[in-house]
Amino acid sequence: GAVVSQHPSRVICKSGTSVKIECRSLDFQATTMFWYRQFPKQSLMLMATSNEGSKATYEQGVEKDKFLINHASLTLSTLTVTSAHPEDSSFYICSARDPDRGNTIYFGEGSWLTVV
Amino acid sequence: QKEVEQDPGPLSVPEGAIVSLNCTYSNSAFQYFMWYRQYSRKGPELLMYTYSSGNKEDGRFTAQVDKSSKYISLFIRDSQPSDSATYLCAMSRGGSYIPTFGRGTSLIVHP
């Protein structure tokens, strides 16, 4: 089946620094990728929708200057958390839409971010 | 009222039981319905994907969609301890593919 890879799976960074998370679709070209945030025992919270070659569409309440999203190719989207603070610590998950499989959406394995 | 309602559980069943997981929704524009399984500290894994009303079976899993009642179900037959996870329903409109997720139901299958 389709595979979406996310890297790193875990990252610890110091407060004030920036961290980049990569999301790759390994066996299909994803015109659209989505970034989610998930708190413990909570559902997925959509942060932004990323379309290849264009600016990301952010959900209400998500700071676009803090969560920078780049979708430079059909197989790669990146999320950069800038000037991270402890409250940014969370589980970040990307997903990608496969247009050749009925627009099915596949998820990455997720990335645990801890800001200390 | 949320667009998608899902009981968070936990739902605890003995091994071998038939499990029924459900979601209700309010938006009649939803056309695509999905079920994902999420193990702790992992990304969701797609289990079932259906379009419009009807049933779909895949191994021990059966997905049902009743658009007239705005109700979808996932049945798991012969449940196993390895099925213990959170199950998320998701649905999307025909013309827009951003899925709306339920909050997930925690399932515990005990030996």
Side-chain angles (χ1 to χ4, degrees):
Chain A
V3 177
V4 175
S5 177
Q6 222 177 303
H7 177 80
S9 58
R10 292 179 179 272
V11 58
I12 300 173
C13 71
K14 291 185 177 180
S15 187
T17 62
S18 297
V19 60
K20 181 185 288 186
I21 300 170
E22 292 187 348
C23 180
R24 294 181 184 273
S25 56
L26 297 184
D27 63 352
F28 65 96
Q29 293 186 326
T31 52
T32 304
M33 289 184 170
F34 306 94
W35 286 95
Y36 293 86
R37 186 173 179 175
Q38 188 177 35
F39 294 101
K41 298 187 178 181
Q42 298 293 317
S43 187
L44 300 165
M45 184 190 79
L46 180 65
M47 298 175 66
T49 302
S50 168
N51 291 298
E52 186 266 338
S54 63
K55 291 183 179 180
T57 302
Y58 289 81
E59 295 298 300
Q60 192 173 10
V62 178
E63 298 176 60
K64 57 183 67 177
D65 293 332
K66 180 165 189 61
F67 299 100
L68 300 178
I69 292 172
N70 183 276
H71 193 163
S73 77
L74 286 171
T75 59
L76 174 64
S77 177
T78 60
L79 167 68
T80 301
V81 182
T82 64
S83 187
H85 288 96
E87 57 264 32
D88 298 326
S89 300
S90 189
F91 190 47
Y92 293 88
I93 312 174
C94 72
S95 67
R97 191 181 86 201
D98 186 349
D100 295 327
R101 290 192 180 99
N103 291 303
T104 303
I105 291 171
Y106 298 94
F107 282 86
E109 308 97 324
S111 299
W112 282 97
L113 170 63
T114 303
V115 184
V116 297
Chain B
Q1 181 190 11
K2 289 184 179 179
E3 273 195 305
V4 179
E5 297 278 0
Q6 185 176 12
D7 187 332
L11 176 63
S12 182
V13 301
E15 183 175 357
I18 297 175
V19 175
S20 173
L21 303 165
N22 312 293
C23 288
T24 59
Y25 62 96
S26 58
N27 192 336
S28 58
F30 287 138
Q31 299 282 342
Y32 298 88
F33 303 91
M34 294 146 280
W35 284 96
Y36 290 86
R37 177 175 62 196
Q38 185 177 23
Y39 291 111
S40 180
R41 297 174 175 258
K42 299 288 185 182
E45 170 194 8
L46 179 67
L47 283 178
M48 301 288 281
Y49 176 91
T50 55
Y51 172 72
S52 198
S53 286
N55 294 358
K56 185 175 183 179
E57 187 174 322
D58 184 1
R60 296 186 295 114
F61 299 93
T62 300
Q64 283 187 354
V65 175
D66 182 350
K67 291 189 69 179
S68 63
S69 302
K70 297 189 179 67
Y71 187 89
I72 68 170
S73 300
L74 177 71
F75 297 96
I76 307 174
R77 292 183 297 280
D78 188 24
S79 56
Q80 304 294 312
S82 58
D83 294 327
S84 299
T86 296
Y87 290 79
L88 297 145
C89 65
M91 45 201 79
S92 65
R93 302 171 185 83
S96 171
Y97 304 105
I98 301 175
T100 300
F101 283 84
R103 62 177 298 182
T105 298
S106 175
L107 171 67
I108 302 168
V109 182
H110 52 86

Short mmCIF file of all heavy atoms in Angstrom, two decimals, chain B residues 37-81:
data_model
loop_
_atom_site.label_atom_id
_atom_site.label_comp_id
_atom_site.label_asym_id
_atom_site.label_seq_id
_atom_site.Cartn_x
_atom_site.Cartn_y
_atom_site.Cartn_z
N ARG B 37 -7.13 3.28 12.11
CA ARG B 37 -6.73 2.70 13.40
C ARG B 37 -5.45 3.40 13.81
O ARG B 37 -4.52 3.54 13.03
CB ARG B 37 -6.50 1.20 13.24
CG ARG B 37 -6.00 0.50 14.49
CD ARG B 37 -5.91 -1.01 14.25
NE ARG B 37 -4.97 -1.34 13.20
CZ ARG B 37 -4.91 -2.51 12.59
NH1 ARG B 37 -5.76 -3.47 12.93
NH2 ARG B 37 -4.03 -2.75 11.64
N GLN B 38 -5.40 3.82 15.07
CA GLN B 38 -4.22 4.50 15.57
C GLN B 38 -3.75 3.83 16.85
O GLN B 38 -4.45 3.84 17.87
CB GLN B 38 -4.49 5.99 15.81
CG GLN B 38 -3.25 6.78 16.22
CD GLN B 38 -3.50 8.26 16.38
OE1 GLN B 38 -4.63 8.70 16.60
NE2 GLN B 38 -2.45 9.05 16.25
N TYR B 39 -2.56 3.26 16.78
CA TYR B 39 -1.94 2.73 17.98
C TYR B 39 -1.29 3.88 18.73
O TYR B 39 -0.97 4.92 18.15
CB TYR B 39 -0.91 1.66 17.63
CG TYR B 39 -1.51 0.38 17.08
CD1 TYR B 39 -1.33 0.02 15.73
CD2 TYR B 39 -2.25 -0.47 17.89
CE1 TYR B 39 -1.88 -1.14 15.23
CE2 TYR B 39 -2.82 -1.63 17.39
CZ TYR B 39 -2.63 -1.96 16.06
OH TYR B 39 -3.18 -3.11 15.56
N SER B 40 -1.04 3.65 20.01
CA SER B 40 -0.49 4.71 20.84
C SER B 40 0.83 5.21 20.28
O SER B 40 1.71 4.42 19.93
CB SER B 40 -0.29 4.17 22.26
OG SER B 40 0.24 5.16 23.10
N ARG B 41 0.94 6.52 20.16
CA ARG B 41 2.17 7.17 19.73
C ARG B 41 2.55 6.86 18.28
O ARG B 41 3.72 6.90 17.91
CB ARG B 41 3.33 6.85 20.66
CG ARG B 41 3.12 7.35 22.07
CD ARG B 41 4.21 6.89 23.01
NE ARG B 41 4.04 7.50 24.33
CZ ARG B 41 4.75 8.52 24.76
NH1 ARG B 41 5.66 9.07 23.99
NH2 ARG B 41 4.53 9.03 25.95
N LYS B 42 1.56 6.52 17.46
CA LYS B 42 1.78 6.25 16.05
C LYS B 42 0.80 7.07 15.21
O LYS B 42 -0.22 7.54 15.72
CB LYS B 42 1.59 4.76 15.75
CG LYS B 42 2.54 3.84 16.49
CD LYS B 42 3.94 3.95 15.93
CE LYS B 42 4.86 2.94 16.59
NZ LYS B 42 6.25 3.06 16.10
N GLY B 43 1.11 7.20 13.93
CA GLY B 43 0.18 7.85 13.02
C GLY B 43 -0.98 6.94 12.68
O GLY B 43 -0.87 5.71 12.76
N PRO B 44 -2.14 7.49 12.31
CA PRO B 44 -3.29 6.67 11.95
C PRO B 44 -3.02 5.83 10.69
O PRO B 44 -2.35 6.28 9.77
CB PRO B 44 -4.38 7.71 11.67
CG PRO B 44 -3.95 8.94 12.39
CD PRO B 44 -2.47 8.93 12.32
N GLU B 45 -3.59 4.64 10.69
CA GLU B 45 -3.44 3.71 9.56
C GLU B 45 -4.82 3.51 8.93
O GLU B 45 -5.79 3.21 9.63
CB GLU B 45 -2.90 2.38 10.09
CG GLU B 45 -2.92 1.23 9.10
CD GLU B 45 -2.70 -0.10 9.79
OE1 GLU B 45 -2.69 -0.16 11.03
OE2 GLU B 45 -2.57 -1.10 9.08
N LEU B 46 -4.91 3.68 7.62
CA LEU B 46 -6.19 3.53 6.94
C LEU B 46 -6.63 2.07 6.96
O LEU B 46 -5.91 1.17 6.57
CB LEU B 46 -6.07 4.01 5.50
CG LEU B 46 -7.34 3.89 4.66
CD1 LEU B 46 -8.42 4.84 5.17
CD2 LEU B 46 -7.03 4.17 3.20
N LEU B 47 -7.87 1.85 7.44
CA LEU B 47 -8.44 0.51 7.47
C LEU B 47 -9.44 0.29 6.34
O LEU B 47 -9.42 -0.71 5.65
CB LEU B 47 -9.15 0.27 8.81
CG LEU B 47 -8.31 -0.01 10.04
CD1 LEU B 47 -9.23 -0.16 11.26
CD2 LEU B 47 -7.45 -1.24 9.87
N MET B 48 -10.39 1.22 6.24
CA MET B 48 -11.47 1.06 5.29
C MET B 48 -11.79 2.40 4.65
O MET B 48 -11.69 3.45 5.29
CB MET B 48 -12.73 0.54 5.99
CG MET B 48 -12.58 -0.79 6.68
SD MET B 48 -12.44 -2.16 5.51
CE MET B 48 -14.15 -2.38 5.07
N TYR B 49 -12.20 2.34 3.41
CA TYR B 49 -12.53 3.54 2.65
C TYR B 49 -13.76 3.22 1.82
O TYR B 49 -13.75 2.29 1.03
CB TYR B 49 -11.34 3.89 1.76
CG TYR B 49 -11.55 5.06 0.83
CD1 TYR B 49 -11.22 6.33 1.23
CD2 TYR B 49 -12.03 4.87 -0.47
CE1 TYR B 49 -11.38 7.42 0.37
CE2 TYR B 49 -12.20 5.94 -1.32
CZ TYR B 49 -11.87 7.20 -0.90
OH TYR B 49 -12.02 8.27 -1.76
N THR B 50 -14.83 3.97 2.02
CA THR B 50 -16.05 3.72 1.27
C THR B 50 -16.60 5.00 0.68
O THR B 50 -16.36 6.09 1.21
CB THR B 50 -17.15 3.07 2.15
OG1 THR B 50 -17.37 3.92 3.29
CG2 THR B 50 -16.75 1.70 2.63
N TYR B 51 -17.31 4.85 -0.39
CA TYR B 51 -17.94 5.98 -1.05
C TYR B 51 -19.44 5.78 -1.01
O TYR B 51 -19.93 4.72 -1.38
CB TYR B 51 -17.46 6.11 -2.49
CG TYR B 51 -18.21 7.15 -3.29
CD1 TYR B 51 -18.02 8.50 -3.05
CD2 TYR B 51 -19.13 6.77 -4.27
CE1 TYR B 51 -18.72 9.46 -3.77
CE2 TYR B 51 -19.83 7.72 -4.99
CZ TYR B 51 -19.62 9.06 -4.75
OH TYR B 51 -20.30 10.01 -5.45
N SER B 52 -20.16 6.78 -0.52
CA SER B 52 -21.62 6.78 -0.44
C SER B 52 -22.12 5.66 0.46
O SER B 52 -21.39 5.13 1.30
CB SER B 52 -22.21 6.69 -1.85
OG SER B 52 -23.56 7.09 -1.81
N SER B 53 -23.36 5.25 0.31
CA SER B 53 -23.96 4.27 1.22
C SER B 53 -23.60 2.84 0.84
O SER B 53 -23.18 2.56 -0.28
CB SER B 53 -25.48 4.42 1.21
OG SER B 53 -25.89 5.56 1.91
N GLY B 54 -23.79 1.94 1.80
CA GLY B 54 -23.56 0.54 1.53
C GLY B 54 -22.58 -0.09 2.49
O GLY B 54 -22.17 0.52 3.47
N ASN B 55 -22.25 -1.34 2.20
CA ASN B 55 -21.32 -2.11 3.02
C ASN B 55 -20.05 -2.41 2.25
O ASN B 55 -20.06 -2.52 1.02
CB ASN B 55 -21.96 -3.44 3.44
CG ASN B 55 -23.13 -3.26 4.36
OD1 ASN B 55 -23.47 -2.15 4.73
ND2 ASN B 55 -23.77 -4.36 4.70
N LYS B 56 -18.97 -2.55 3.00
CA LYS B 56 -17.71 -2.98 2.42
C LYS B 56 -17.01 -3.88 3.40
O LYS B 56 -16.93 -3.56 4.59
CB LYS B 56 -16.82 -1.77 2.08
CG LYS B 56 -15.54 -2.13 1.36
CD LYS B 56 -14.80 -0.87 0.96
CE LYS B 56 -13.54 -1.19 0.19
NZ LYS B 56 -12.83 0.05 -0.22
N GLU B 57 -16.54 -5.02 2.92
CA GLU B 57 -15.91 -5.99 3.81
C GLU B 57 -14.46 -6.20 3.40
O GLU B 57 -14.12 -6.26 2.22
CB GLU B 57 -16.67 -7.32 3.74
CG GLU B 57 -16.22 -8.35 4.74
CD GLU B 57 -17.11 -9.58 4.72
OE1 GLU B 57 -18.34 -9.43 4.58
OE2 GLU B 57 -16.58 -10.71 4.84
N ASP B 58 -13.60 -6.33 4.42
CA ASP B 58 -12.19 -6.62 4.18
C ASP B 58 -11.69 -7.45 5.34
O ASP B 58 -11.42 -6.92 6.42
CB ASP B 58 -11.39 -5.32 4.06
CG ASP B 58 -9.93 -5.56 3.71
OD1 ASP B 58 -9.54 -6.74 3.54
OD2 ASP B 58 -9.16 -4.58 3.61
N GLY B 59 -11.62 -8.76 5.12
CA GLY B 59 -11.17 -9.65 6.18
C GLY B 59 -12.13 -9.62 7.35
O GLY B 59 -13.33 -9.83 7.20
N ARG B 60 -11.61 -9.31 8.53
CA ARG B 60 -12.46 -9.27 9.74
C ARG B 60 -13.21 -7.96 9.89
O ARG B 60 -13.97 -7.79 10.83
CB ARG B 60 -11.60 -9.52 10.97
CG ARG B 60 -10.95 -10.90 11.02
CD ARG B 60 -10.22 -11.13 12.34
NE ARG B 60 -9.08 -10.23 12.52
CZ ARG B 60 -9.02 -9.29 13.46
NH1 ARG B 60 -10.02 -9.10 14.31
NH2 ARG B 60 -7.93 -8.53 13.57
N PHE B 61 -12.97 -7.03 9.00
CA PHE B 61 -13.55 -5.69 9.12
C PHE B 61 -14.68 -5.49 8.10
O PHE B 61 -14.55 -5.86 6.94
CB PHE B 61 -12.48 -4.62 8.89
CG PHE B 61 -11.35 -4.67 9.88
CD1 PHE B 61 -10.20 -5.39 9.61
CD2 PHE B 61 -11.45 -4.00 11.09
CE1 PHE B 61 -9.16 -5.44 10.52
CE2 PHE B 61 -10.42 -4.05 12.01
CZ PHE B 61 -9.27 -4.76 11.72
N THR B 62 -15.77 -4.89 8.59
CA THR B 62 -16.88 -4.51 7.71
C THR B 62 -17.27 -3.08 8.03
O THR B 62 -17.50 -2.74 9.18
CB THR B 62 -18.10 -5.42 7.92
OG1 THR B 62 -17.77 -6.77 7.63
CG2 THR B 62 -19.25 -4.98 7.01
N ALA B 63 -17.31 -2.26 6.98
CA ALA B 63 -17.73 -0.87 7.14
C ALA B 63 -19.13 -0.71 6.55
O ALA B 63 -19.43 -1.25 5.49
CB ALA B 63 -16.76 0.07 6.44
N GLN B 64 -19.97 -0.01 7.28
CA GLN B 64 -21.34 0.27 6.81
C GLN B 64 -21.58 1.76 6.81
O GLN B 64 -21.17 2.48 7.72
CB GLN B 64 -22.36 -0.38 7.74
CG GLN B 64 -22.54 -1.86 7.58
CD GLN B 64 -23.70 -2.40 8.41
OE1 GLN B 64 -24.30 -1.69 9.20
NE2 GLN B 64 -23.99 -3.68 8.22
N VAL B 65 -22.25 2.23 5.78
CA VAL B 65 -22.62 3.64 5.69
C VAL B 65 -24.12 3.74 5.44
O VAL B 65 -24.64 3.12 4.51
CB VAL B 65 -21.87 4.35 4.54
CG1 VAL B 65 -22.36 5.80 4.39
CG2 VAL B 65 -20.36 4.33 4.79
N ASP B 66 -24.80 4.48 6.27
CA ASP B 66 -26.23 4.74 6.10
C ASP B 66 -26.39 6.25 5.99
O ASP B 66 -26.49 6.95 7.00
CB ASP B 66 -27.01 4.18 7.29
CG ASP B 66 -28.52 4.38 7.13
OD1 ASP B 66 -28.95 5.12 6.22
OD2 ASP B 66 -29.27 3.79 7.92
N LYS B 67 -26.41 6.73 4.77
CA LYS B 67 -26.47 8.18 4.58
C LYS B 67 -27.82 8.75 4.98
O LYS B 67 -27.92 9.91 5.39
CB LYS B 67 -26.15 8.54 3.12
CG LYS B 67 -24.70 8.28 2.73
CD LYS B 67 -24.40 8.84 1.36
CE LYS B 67 -24.41 10.35 1.37
NZ LYS B 67 -24.09 10.89 0.04
N SER B 68 -28.88 7.95 4.89
CA SER B 68 -30.20 8.47 5.27
C SER B 68 -30.24 8.78 6.76
O SER B 68 -30.91 9.72 7.19
CB SER B 68 -31.29 7.47 4.89
OG SER B 68 -31.12 6.25 5.59
N SER B 69 -29.52 8.00 7.55
CA SER B 69 -29.47 8.23 9.00
C SER B 69 -28.23 9.01 9.41
O SER B 69 -28.09 9.32 10.60
CB SER B 69 -29.49 6.89 9.73
OG SER B 69 -30.63 6.14 9.41
N LYS B 70 -27.35 9.29 8.47
CA LYS B 70 -26.08 9.96 8.76
C LYS B 70 -25.33 9.20 9.85
O LYS B 70 -24.96 9.75 10.90
CB LYS B 70 -26.31 11.42 9.17
CG LYS B 70 -26.94 12.28 8.06
CD LYS B 70 -26.93 13.73 8.47
CE LYS B 70 -27.54 14.61 7.40
NZ LYS B 70 -28.97 14.38 7.21
N TYR B 71 -25.10 7.92 9.56
CA TYR B 71 -24.56 7.01 10.57
C TYR B 71 -23.63 6.04 9.88
O TYR B 71 -23.99 5.45 8.85
CB TYR B 71 -25.74 6.26 11.19
CG TYR B 71 -25.44 5.39 12.38
CD1 TYR B 71 -25.48 5.91 13.67
CD2 TYR B 71 -25.17 4.03 12.22
CE1 TYR B 71 -25.24 5.12 14.77
CE2 TYR B 71 -24.92 3.24 13.32
CZ TYR B 71 -24.97 3.77 14.59
OH TYR B 71 -24.72 2.97 15.69
N ILE B 72 -22.42 5.90 10.40
CA ILE B 72 -21.50 4.91 9.84
C ILE B 72 -20.99 4.00 10.95
O ILE B 72 -20.94 4.41 12.12
CB ILE B 72 -20.31 5.57 9.10
CG1 ILE B 72 -19.36 6.30 10.05
CG2 ILE B 72 -20.82 6.54 8.03
CD1 ILE B 72 -18.07 6.73 9.38
N SER B 73 -20.66 2.79 10.56
CA SER B 73 -20.22 1.79 11.53
C SER B 73 -19.02 1.02 11.00
O SER B 73 -18.84 0.86 9.79
CB SER B 73 -21.35 0.78 11.82
OG SER B 73 -22.48 1.42 12.34
N LEU B 74 -18.23 0.54 11.93
CA LEU B 74 -17.15 -0.40 11.63
C LEU B 74 -17.33 -1.60 12.54
O LEU B 74 -17.40 -1.44 13.76
CB LEU B 74 -15.78 0.24 11.86
CG LEU B 74 -14.58 -0.69 11.64
CD1 LEU B 74 -14.42 -1.00 10.14
CD2 LEU B 74 -13.30 -0.10 12.19
N PHE B 75 -17.43 -2.78 11.93
CA PHE B 75 -17.55 -4.00 12.70
C PHE B 75 -16.24 -4.78 12.61
O PHE B 75 -15.64 -4.90 11.54
CB PHE B 75 -18.70 -4.87 12.18
CG PHE B 75 -20.05 -4.22 12.31
CD1 PHE B 75 -20.59 -3.53 11.23
CD2 PHE B 75 -20.75 -4.27 13.49
CE1 PHE B 75 -21.83 -2.91 11.33
CE2 PHE B 75 -22.00 -3.65 13.61
CZ PHE B 75 -22.53 -2.97 12.53
N ILE B 76 -15.82 -5.30 13.74
CA ILE B 76 -14.62 -6.13 13.80
C ILE B 76 -15.05 -7.49 14.32
O ILE B 76 -15.54 -7.60 15.44
CB ILE B 76 -13.53 -5.54 14.72
CG1 ILE B 76 -13.22 -4.09 14.33
CG2 ILE B 76 -12.26 -6.39 14.65
CD1 ILE B 76 -12.25 -3.40 15.29
N ARG B 77 -14.86 -8.51 13.49
CA ARG B 77 -15.22 -9.87 13.92
C ARG B 77 -14.01 -10.54 14.56
O ARG B 77 -12.86 -10.20 14.25
CB ARG B 77 -15.68 -10.70 12.72
CG ARG B 77 -17.00 -10.26 12.13
CD ARG B 77 -17.40 -11.19 10.98
NE ARG B 77 -16.43 -11.14 9.88
CZ ARG B 77 -16.42 -10.17 8.97
NH1 ARG B 77 -17.28 -9.17 9.04
NH2 ARG B 77 -15.53 -10.19 8.00
N ASP B 78 -14.29 -11.49 15.45
CA ASP B 78 -13.22 -12.27 16.09
C ASP B 78 -12.10 -11.34 16.58
O ASP B 78 -10.93 -11.45 16.18
CB ASP B 78 -12.66 -13.29 15.09
CG ASP B 78 -11.68 -14.26 15.72
OD1 ASP B 78 -11.76 -14.47 16.96
OD2 ASP B 78 -10.81 -14.80 15.00
N SER B 79 -12.49 -10.39 17.41
CA SER B 79 -11.53 -9.38 17.84
C SER B 79 -10.35 -10.02 18.58
O SER B 79 -10.48 -11.03 19.27
CB SER B 79 -12.23 -8.35 18.73
OG SER B 79 -12.86 -8.98 19.83
N GLN B 80 -9.19 -9.40 18.40
CA GLN B 80 -7.94 -9.88 18.98
C GLN B 80 -7.34 -8.80 19.86
O GLN B 80 -7.57 -7.61 19.65
CB GLN B 80 -6.95 -10.24 17.86
CG GLN B 80 -7.46 -11.25 16.85
CD GLN B 80 -7.68 -12.61 17.49
OE1 GLN B 80 -6.82 -13.11 18.20
NE2 GLN B 80 -8.85 -13.19 17.26
N PRO B 81 -6.51 -9.19 20.83
CA PRO B 81 -5.83 -8.16 21.65
C PRO B 81 -5.04 -7.17 20.81
O PRO B 81 -4.93 -5.99 21.18
CB PRO B 81 -4.92 -9.01 22.54
CG PRO B 81 -5.66 -10.30 22.71
CD PRO B 81 -6.29 -10.54 21.36
#
